[in-house]
mmCIF file of all heavy atoms in Angstrom:
data_model
loop_
_atom_site.group_PDB
_atom_site.id
_atom_site.type_symbol
_atom_site.label_atom_id
_atom_site.label_comp_id
_atom_site.label_asym_id
_atom_site.label_seq_id
_atom_site.Cartn_x
_atom_site.Cartn_y
_atom_site.Cartn_z
ATOM 1 N N LEU G 144 -13.294 -9.312 28.986
ATOM 2 C CA LEU G 144 -14.165 -9.517 27.834
ATOM 3 C C LEU G 144 -15.412 -10.309 28.224
ATOM 4 O O LEU G 144 -16.516 -10.025 27.733
ATOM 5 C CB LEU G 144 -13.398 -10.248 26.739
ATOM 6 C CG LEU G 144 -14.123 -10.447 25.412
ATOM 7 C CD1 LEU G 144 -14.573 -9.111 24.842
ATOM 8 C CD2 LEU G 144 -13.214 -11.159 24.423
ATOM 9 N N LEU G 147 -18.052 -8.113 29.568
ATOM 10 C CA LEU G 147 -18.823 -7.466 28.508
ATOM 11 C C LEU G 147 -19.830 -8.441 27.914
ATOM 12 O O LEU G 147 -20.991 -8.076 27.669
ATOM 13 C CB LEU G 147 -17.878 -6.947 27.428
ATOM 14 C CG LEU G 147 -18.536 -6.245 26.236
ATOM 15 C CD1 LEU G 147 -19.271 -4.991 26.681
ATOM 16 C CD2 LEU G 147 -17.488 -5.901 25.169
ATOM 17 N N GLY G 148 -19.407 -9.679 27.683
ATOM 18 C CA GLY G 148 -20.308 -10.672 27.119
ATOM 19 C C GLY G 148 -21.493 -10.985 28.010
ATOM 20 O O GLY G 148 -22.531 -11.444 27.529
ATOM 21 N N TRP G 210 -26.244 -19.177 18.776
ATOM 22 C CA TRP G 210 -25.498 -18.073 19.363
ATOM 23 C C TRP G 210 -26.465 -17.101 20.016
ATOM 24 O O TRP G 210 -27.670 -17.117 19.738
ATOM 25 C CB TRP G 210 -24.626 -17.364 18.320
ATOM 26 C CG TRP G 210 -25.373 -16.662 17.221
ATOM 27 C CD1 TRP G 210 -25.990 -17.242 16.148
ATOM 28 C CD2 TRP G 210 -25.571 -15.259 17.104
ATOM 29 N NE1 TRP G 210 -26.557 -16.275 15.356
ATOM 30 C CE2 TRP G 210 -26.314 -15.049 15.919
ATOM 31 C CE3 TRP G 210 -25.187 -14.160 17.858
ATOM 32 C CZ2 TRP G 210 -26.692 -13.780 15.489
ATOM 33 C CZ3 TRP G 210 -25.549 -12.888 17.424
ATOM 34 C CH2 TRP G 210 -26.299 -12.715 16.260
ATOM 35 N N ARG G 211 -25.956 -16.282 20.908
ATOM 36 C CA ARG G 211 -26.784 -15.307 21.631
ATOM 37 C C ARG G 211 -26.235 -13.911 21.411
ATOM 38 O O ARG G 211 -25.057 -13.667 21.678
ATOM 39 C CB ARG G 211 -26.795 -15.637 23.128
ATOM 40 C CG ARG G 211 -27.519 -14.606 23.988
ATOM 41 C CD ARG G 211 -27.774 -15.135 25.393
ATOM 42 N NE ARG G 211 -26.571 -15.429 26.127
ATOM 43 C CZ ARG G 211 -25.971 -14.583 26.982
ATOM 44 N NH1 ARG G 211 -26.459 -13.371 27.175
ATOM 45 N NH2 ARG G 211 -24.885 -14.957 27.634
ATOM 46 N N PRO G 212 -27.048 -12.987 20.924
ATOM 47 C CA PRO G 212 -26.560 -11.628 20.674
ATOM 48 C C PRO G 212 -26.123 -10.925 21.961
ATOM 49 O O PRO G 212 -26.615 -11.212 23.058
ATOM 50 C CB PRO G 212 -27.776 -10.923 20.060
ATOM 51 C CG PRO G 212 -28.664 -12.008 19.577
ATOM 52 C CD PRO G 212 -28.455 -13.153 20.513
ATOM 53 N N GLY G 213 -25.220 -9.999 21.791
ATOM 54 C CA GLY G 213 -24.751 -9.188 22.904
ATOM 55 C C GLY G 213 -23.887 -8.053 22.383
ATOM 56 O O GLY G 213 -23.774 -7.838 21.173
ATOM 57 N N ILE G 214 -23.274 -7.330 23.303
ATOM 58 C CA ILE G 214 -22.431 -6.192 22.929
ATOM 59 C C ILE G 214 -21.107 -6.710 22.392
ATOM 60 O O ILE G 214 -20.418 -7.495 23.043
ATOM 61 C CB ILE G 214 -22.199 -5.259 24.126
ATOM 62 C CG1 ILE G 214 -23.532 -4.737 24.660
ATOM 63 C CG2 ILE G 214 -21.300 -4.088 23.727
ATOM 64 C CD1 ILE G 214 -23.402 -3.923 25.942
ATOM 65 N N LEU G 215 -20.768 -6.253 21.202
ATOM 66 C CA LEU G 215 -19.519 -6.628 20.544
ATOM 67 C C LEU G 215 -18.622 -5.394 20.498
ATOM 68 O O LEU G 215 -18.990 -4.380 19.897
ATOM 69 C CB LEU G 215 -19.814 -7.127 19.129
ATOM 70 C CG LEU G 215 -18.643 -7.601 18.282
ATOM 71 C CD1 LEU G 215 -18.149 -8.958 18.775
ATOM 72 C CD2 LEU G 215 -19.058 -7.703 16.812
ATOM 73 N N GLY G 245 -23.865 -7.856 18.198
ATOM 74 C CA GLY G 245 -23.550 -8.990 17.339
ATOM 75 C C GLY G 245 -23.296 -10.205 18.196
ATOM 76 O O GLY G 245 -23.929 -10.380 19.242
ATOM 77 N N ASP G 246 -22.347 -11.019 17.794
ATOM 78 C CA ASP G 246 -21.988 -12.215 18.552
ATOM 79 C C ASP G 246 -20.716 -11.930 19.351
ATOM 80 O O ASP G 246 -19.627 -11.800 18.775
ATOM 81 C CB ASP G 246 -21.756 -13.383 17.593
ATOM 82 C CG ASP G 246 -21.581 -14.710 18.324
ATOM 83 O OD1 ASP G 246 -21.200 -14.687 19.511
ATOM 84 O OD2 ASP G 246 -21.814 -15.763 17.703
ATOM 85 N N PRO G 247 -20.822 -11.822 20.675
ATOM 86 C CA PRO G 247 -19.643 -11.491 21.485
ATOM 87 C C PRO G 247 -18.499 -12.489 21.370
ATOM 88 O O PRO G 247 -17.352 -12.140 21.684
ATOM 89 C CB PRO G 247 -20.201 -11.452 22.913
ATOM 90 C CG PRO G 247 -21.643 -11.096 22.736
ATOM 91 C CD PRO G 247 -22.057 -11.819 21.483
ATOM 92 N N LEU G 248 -18.773 -13.717 20.951
ATOM 93 C CA LEU G 248 -17.671 -14.661 20.798
ATOM 94 C C LEU G 248 -16.709 -14.250 19.690
ATOM 95 O O LEU G 248 -15.567 -14.708 19.658
ATOM 96 C CB LEU G 248 -18.204 -16.074 20.544
ATOM 97 C CG LEU G 248 -18.837 -16.782 21.740
ATOM 98 C CD1 LEU G 248 -19.137 -18.230 21.399
ATOM 99 C CD2 LEU G 248 -17.948 -16.719 22.987
ATOM 100 N N LEU G 249 -17.151 -13.371 18.789
ATOM 101 C CA LEU G 249 -16.219 -12.859 17.787
ATOM 102 C C LEU G 249 -15.139 -12.006 18.448
ATOM 103 O O LEU G 249 -13.996 -11.989 17.979
ATOM 104 C CB LEU G 249 -16.966 -12.059 16.720
ATOM 105 C CG LEU G 249 -16.106 -11.491 15.579
ATOM 106 C CD1 LEU G 249 -15.256 -12.569 14.920
ATOM 107 C CD2 LEU G 249 -16.989 -10.786 14.552
ATOM 108 N N ASP G 250 -15.463 -11.314 19.540
ATOM 109 C CA ASP G 250 -14.433 -10.581 20.279
ATOM 110 C C ASP G 250 -13.392 -11.531 20.860
ATOM 111 O O ASP G 250 -12.192 -11.256 20.841
ATOM 112 C CB ASP G 250 -15.066 -9.769 21.416
ATOM 113 C CG ASP G 250 -15.565 -8.407 20.988
ATOM 114 O OD1 ASP G 250 -15.094 -7.884 19.961
ATOM 115 O OD2 ASP G 250 -16.432 -7.845 21.693
ATOM 116 N N LEU G 251 -13.860 -12.651 21.394
ATOM 117 C CA LEU G 251 -12.902 -13.633 21.921
ATOM 118 C C LEU G 251 -12.071 -14.206 20.778
ATOM 119 O O LEU G 251 -10.850 -14.384 20.913
ATOM 120 C CB LEU G 251 -13.647 -14.748 22.663
ATOM 121 C CG LEU G 251 -12.776 -15.836 23.292
ATOM 122 C CD1 LEU G 251 -11.751 -15.250 24.261
ATOM 123 C CD2 LEU G 251 -13.655 -16.875 24.002
ATOM 124 N N GLY G 252 -12.692 -14.472 19.633
ATOM 125 C CA GLY G 252 -11.937 -14.916 18.468
ATOM 126 C C GLY G 252 -10.921 -13.882 18.032
ATOM 127 O O GLY G 252 -9.796 -14.224 17.632
ATOM 128 N N TYR G 288 -12.283 -17.078 29.981
ATOM 129 C CA TYR G 288 -13.559 -16.500 29.545
ATOM 130 C C TYR G 288 -14.724 -17.336 30.066
ATOM 131 O O TYR G 288 -15.752 -16.798 30.509
ATOM 132 C CB TYR G 288 -13.582 -16.433 28.025
ATOM 133 C CG TYR G 288 -14.780 -15.711 27.438
ATOM 134 C CD1 TYR G 288 -14.712 -14.369 27.107
ATOM 135 C CD2 TYR G 288 -15.982 -16.383 27.208
ATOM 136 C CE1 TYR G 288 -15.805 -13.701 26.557
ATOM 137 C CE2 TYR G 288 -17.077 -15.727 26.668
ATOM 138 C CZ TYR G 288 -16.983 -14.384 26.348
ATOM 139 O OH TYR G 288 -18.072 -13.731 25.822
ATOM 140 N N ALA G 294 -21.702 -15.239 30.820
ATOM 141 C CA ALA G 294 -21.114 -14.843 29.539
ATOM 142 C C ALA G 294 -21.246 -15.948 28.498
ATOM 143 O O ALA G 294 -21.326 -15.660 27.305
ATOM 144 C CB ALA G 294 -19.644 -14.465 29.721
ATOM 145 N N ARG G 298 -24.203 -19.707 24.311
ATOM 146 C CA ARG G 298 -23.124 -19.535 23.339
ATOM 147 C C ARG G 298 -22.286 -20.805 23.281
ATOM 148 O O ARG G 298 -22.067 -21.459 24.299
ATOM 149 C CB ARG G 298 -22.249 -18.330 23.705
ATOM 150 C CG ARG G 298 -23.044 -17.025 23.644
ATOM 151 C CD ARG G 298 -22.250 -15.795 23.991
ATOM 152 N NE ARG G 298 -23.114 -14.618 23.848
ATOM 153 C CZ ARG G 298 -23.227 -13.631 24.746
ATOM 154 N NH1 ARG G 298 -22.495 -13.657 25.836
ATOM 155 N NH2 ARG G 298 -24.047 -12.630 24.519
ATOM 156 N N TYR G 306 -14.710 -18.741 15.247
ATOM 157 C CA TYR G 306 -14.669 -17.297 15.512
ATOM 158 C C TYR G 306 -13.252 -16.737 15.342
ATOM 159 O O TYR G 306 -13.074 -15.622 14.855
ATOM 160 C CB TYR G 306 -15.195 -16.999 16.921
ATOM 161 C CG TYR G 306 -16.663 -17.280 17.078
ATOM 162 C CD1 TYR G 306 -17.107 -18.502 17.587
ATOM 163 C CD2 TYR G 306 -17.620 -16.328 16.729
ATOM 164 C CE1 TYR G 306 -18.461 -18.769 17.735
ATOM 165 C CE2 TYR G 306 -18.975 -16.587 16.872
ATOM 166 C CZ TYR G 306 -19.391 -17.806 17.370
ATOM 167 O OH TYR G 306 -20.734 -18.068 17.510
#
Side-chain angles (χ1 to χ4, degrees):
L144 185 57
L147 180 63
W210 65 284
R211 174 167 63 95
I214 301 174
L215 181 74
D246 188 337
L248 287 188
L249 182 53
D250 274 338
L251 181 56
Y288 187 95
R298 296 180 178 133
Y306 293 95

